[in-house]
Amino acid sequence: MATTTSTARDAAVHHLEQALATGIKGAARQAVKTALDVTKRSGDRELRNLDCDRLQPGKRVTDPACPGLMLRATKTRKFWVYRWLDKSKGHQVETPLGDYLSAEADRIDEGQLTITQAREKWRPLRQARKESGALPTAAVASANVPTVEALVRMYLSEYAEVHKKPSSAKGDARLLNRFIVPSHGSMRADQFRRSHLSAILGQLREQGLKREPQKVKAVVSAMYNVACGRNSKMEFLGDKKTWLPPATENPADGISLARHEPVNFKPDARQVRAYAMALEGLKHGAMLRFQMLTTTRIGEAAGASWSEIDLDEGVWTIPAERTKNSTEHRVMLSTQALDVLRAQKAASGSEWVFPRPNDDEQAVRADAATRELAGVREAAGINPLFTPHAVRAACLTWMAEKQESRALRDRVSNHLTGDTAGIERHYVAAQLDQPARVAWQKWADHIDRLVDDERSVVTTIRSEAAV
């Protein structure tokens, strides 16, 4: 039987190739080509359970008998997708079908599909695609329940980016797109359970990450509360009511994490010196030095653009949407900070003060700088608790020791406390511009003296050793 089938297929291929050789044009030619492709493909080896079971994380396998049907594998799961060309968008789209169910599985979870079941689910989607040129959304997920990835997009675009501070919305996007979407994006949102989230958080803890598990749990909890209508700002949904059935389980409910206790670390002069000297020669050293001189937050320094900086006046104006307290911050630049900026200006034509090394159309990532710093921390003798943010504590402590007022310290750090909070904020800040400029210059001079004194000591020791 197999020989007869093979012979018939070979004959069909031969006749179709001869038909193309006649030079037919238009729709007829396209129909013959399609028939030829299908006939050739039908001779390929059929997808087997063994192929699926052996699929390694990061790999994929297609079903020769079902164009576009594909099985993908991650570290935690394998899932079926239907890959098709969306002509209206000009790119390939992957429609999730469900998780893979092995023939050797001891149990069956909701949404899992064998090869046969995946093909059955693929067939009407393929037909709808051929007839309409698009894929009806109702055919994608039962009861119009979105996938986790679709829910993330709705949460970010319709809620976080509208109702949260830009920096907070950006943080939500980073956490969801980095830790949730890659492994569970194709899963139906109502099937993403506590066990799935617990596994993700456990992996983060195993990697030694202390704050990330709490942040991921918090953003997932917020997303599901918004999606199910359990949020005080749900009026933005209008007639849509909710994205998920109100009774949908929140995956974050019932998950307990150890509370992270912030470390109150105040670096001394020796530690400030070691840190300042370690920045020399680093790929991101200029940005970290600029952040140190201006005592800003690392995200503010990393995202600085030339449109925010007035080199002639020596002022860097950080817009409210880029600050933690949503208040505009005018940084009065020291001569050392201006030197860093002028060197950056001469080295790059980017709109960003500190562009990425391999892409000057984007600002450098703050975490890229901290990772580079981590690589030299031990060799440079930098305290493990000394982070770029610790520079702010070091500066404020030093200023307090110099008897600078609380109002001036708040002005430099952009803190809304004491007499700099409330209606007098902008008035007081403006009045303190000149004192703040003097304070920032003294701080920069202090850093330089620490480094210069250390170099003088090293030079003296080397000279005495030579004698």
Side-chain angles (χ1 to χ4, degrees):
M1 181 65 181
T3 303
T4 302
T5 302
S6 177
T7 302
R9 184 186 303 114
D10 293 342
V13 168
H14 174 71
H15 290 308
L16 290 169
E17 288 177 340
Q18 283 188 324
L20 286 178
T22 63
I24 58 174
K25 305 292 184 182
R29 182 177 183 82
Q30 184 59 44
V32 174
K33 286 184 64 177
T34 301
L36 179 60
D37 290 341
V38 171
T39 304
K40 286 183 175 180
R41 192 183 301 117
S42 63
D44 295 340
R45 183 172 62 84
E46 187 179 39
L47 182 65
R48 303 172 301 170
N49 278 302
L50 185 62
D51 301 318
C52 300
D53 292 338
R54 290 180 174 178
L55 190 62
Q56 297 298 309
K59 302 295 184 180
R60 66 185 184 185
V61 63
T62 57
D63 186 350
C66 302
L69 181 59
M70 179 186 301
L71 182 68
R72 286 189 176 277
T74 69
K75 290 182 179 180
T76 58
R77 57 192 286 257
K78 296 175 183 177
F79 54 93
W80 296 102
V81 297
Y82 172 36
R83 185 179 177 88
W84 54 283
L85 175 64
D86 186 340
K87 294 183 178 179
S88 65
K89 298 179 181 179
H91 61 75
Q92 297 284 339
V93 176
E94 292 189 359
T95 299
L97 303 180
D99 282 2
Y100 168 65
L101 176 61
S102 171
E104 306 298 325
D106 296 327
R107 51 171 291 184
I108 301 176
D109 292 330
E110 185 179 359
Q112 289 187 315
L113 304 171
T114 63
I115 294 178
T116 301
Q117 291 169 331
R119 287 170 179 161
E120 292 174 354
K121 198 165 185 178
W122 162 87
R123 192 166 290 107
L125 299 183
R126 169 73 171 178
Q127 187 63 32
R129 172 76 181 92
K130 291 172 66 176
E131 292 176 353
S132 66
L135 200 65
T137 55
V140 178
S142 173
N144 292 321
V145 175
T147 63
V148 171
E149 182 175 10
L151 178 61
V152 167
R153 288 198 302 268
M154 289 188 288
Y155 169 77
L156 293 175
S157 63
E158 298 185 41
Y159 178 77
E161 294 174 4
V162 176
H163 294 279
K164 301 185 74 172
K165 291 184 355 182
S167 58
S168 181
K170 184 177 181 180
D172 286 357
R174 180 186 69 84
L175 294 168
L176 292 169
N177 288 321
R178 181 177 179 183
F179 300 117
I180 303 299
V181 172
S183 58
H184 294 80
S186 63
M187 178 182 288
R188 271 179 45 170
D190 61 346
Q191 294 176 358
F192 183 61
R193 305 291 168 75
R194 183 190 310 167
S195 59
H196 300 117
L197 181 58
S198 294
I200 293 172
L201 301 181
Q203 291 175 356
L204 297 180
R205 289 194 296 269
E206 291 175 1
Q207 295 171 19
L209 300 175
K210 298 179 180 179
R211 295 292 305 278
E212 299 298 69
Q214 292 179 327
K215 292 179 180 179
V216 171
K217 178 192 170 185
V219 70
V220 169
S221 179
M223 180 173 69
Y224 273 81
N225 282 338
V226 168
C228 298
R230 299 187 288 266
N231 184 279
S232 60
K233 296 181 179 178
M234 291 307 296
E235 65 274 6
F236 78 95
L237 284 175
D239 295 334
K240 286 187 285 187
K241 305 299 183 184
T242 61
W243 295 325
L244 294 175
T248 301
E249 172 190 337
N250 191 321
D253 288 349
I255 296 180
S256 298
L257 296 174
R259 184 177 179 181
H260 175 74
E261 297 293 341
V263 179
N264 187 19
F265 174 66
K266 294 182 175 62
D268 57 25
R270 178 180 56 81
Q271 293 160 346
V272 171
R273 177 192 298 117
Y275 178 77
M277 295 184 71
L279 302 184
E280 300 177 6
L282 293 185
K283 182 169 55 177
H284 301 297
M287 188 275 286
L288 292 171
R289 174 169 167 78
F290 182 70
Q291 183 260 337
M292 186 180 197
L293 294 169
T294 57
T295 62
T296 52
R297 294 178 173 85
I298 188 169
E300 295 168 347
S305 65
W306 290 112
S307 62
E308 299 172 354
I309 292 173
D310 187 332
L311 288 174
D312 294 330
E313 295 295 328
V315 177
W316 171 28
T317 304
I318 309 176
E321 59 268 22
R322 289 215 311 113
T323 64
K324 183 177 181 179
N325 57 21
S326 299
T327 302
E328 181 182 280
H329 185 34
R330 283 168 51 84
V331 180
M332 319 309 288
L333 300 168
S334 63
T335 55
Q336 291 89 334
L338 286 169
D339 288 342
V340 173
L341 292 176
R342 292 189 179 105
Q344 288 297 116
K345 192 76 169 178
S348 171
S350 172
E351 65 176 299
W352 305 104
V353 177
F354 303 102
R356 296 185 187 181
N358 57 348
D359 183 4
D360 64 4
E361 293 186 359
Q362 297 189 67
V364 67
R365 290 175 57 98
D367 58 348
T370 54
R371 284 197 301 271
E372 183 187 23
L373 182 62
V376 301
R377 181 182 296 278
E378 184 176 356
I382 303 174
N383 190 299
L385 299 177
F386 196 118
T387 64
H389 193 77
V391 168
R392 291 166 57 82
C395 176
L396 295 179
T397 301
W398 178 79
M399 289 180 63
E401 292 172 350
K402 298 298 181 182
Q403 306 298 313
E404 299 290 3
S405 69
R406 174 64 178 274
L408 182 59
R409 301 200 305 272
D410 287 345
R411 168 68 182 85
V412 168
S413 60
N414 197 28
H415 281 160
L416 298 181
T417 57
D419 55 3
T420 62
I423 196 169
E424 295 184 350
R425 163 68 182 173
H426 294 286
Y427 173 77
V428 172
Q431 292 296 309
L432 291 175
D433 273 1
Q434 187 54 36
R437 183 180 294 279
V438 173
W440 264 306
Q441 186 61 58
K442 288 181 178 179
W443 168 246
D445 292 341
H446 170 65
I447 294 172
D448 281 355
R449 280 195 299 273
L450 290 175
V451 174
D452 290 343
D453 288 348
E454 176 69 10
R455 286 176 175 154
S456 297
V457 171
V458 171
T459 301
T460 300
I461 292 176
R462 287 176 177 173
S463 299
E464 292 176 349
V467 174

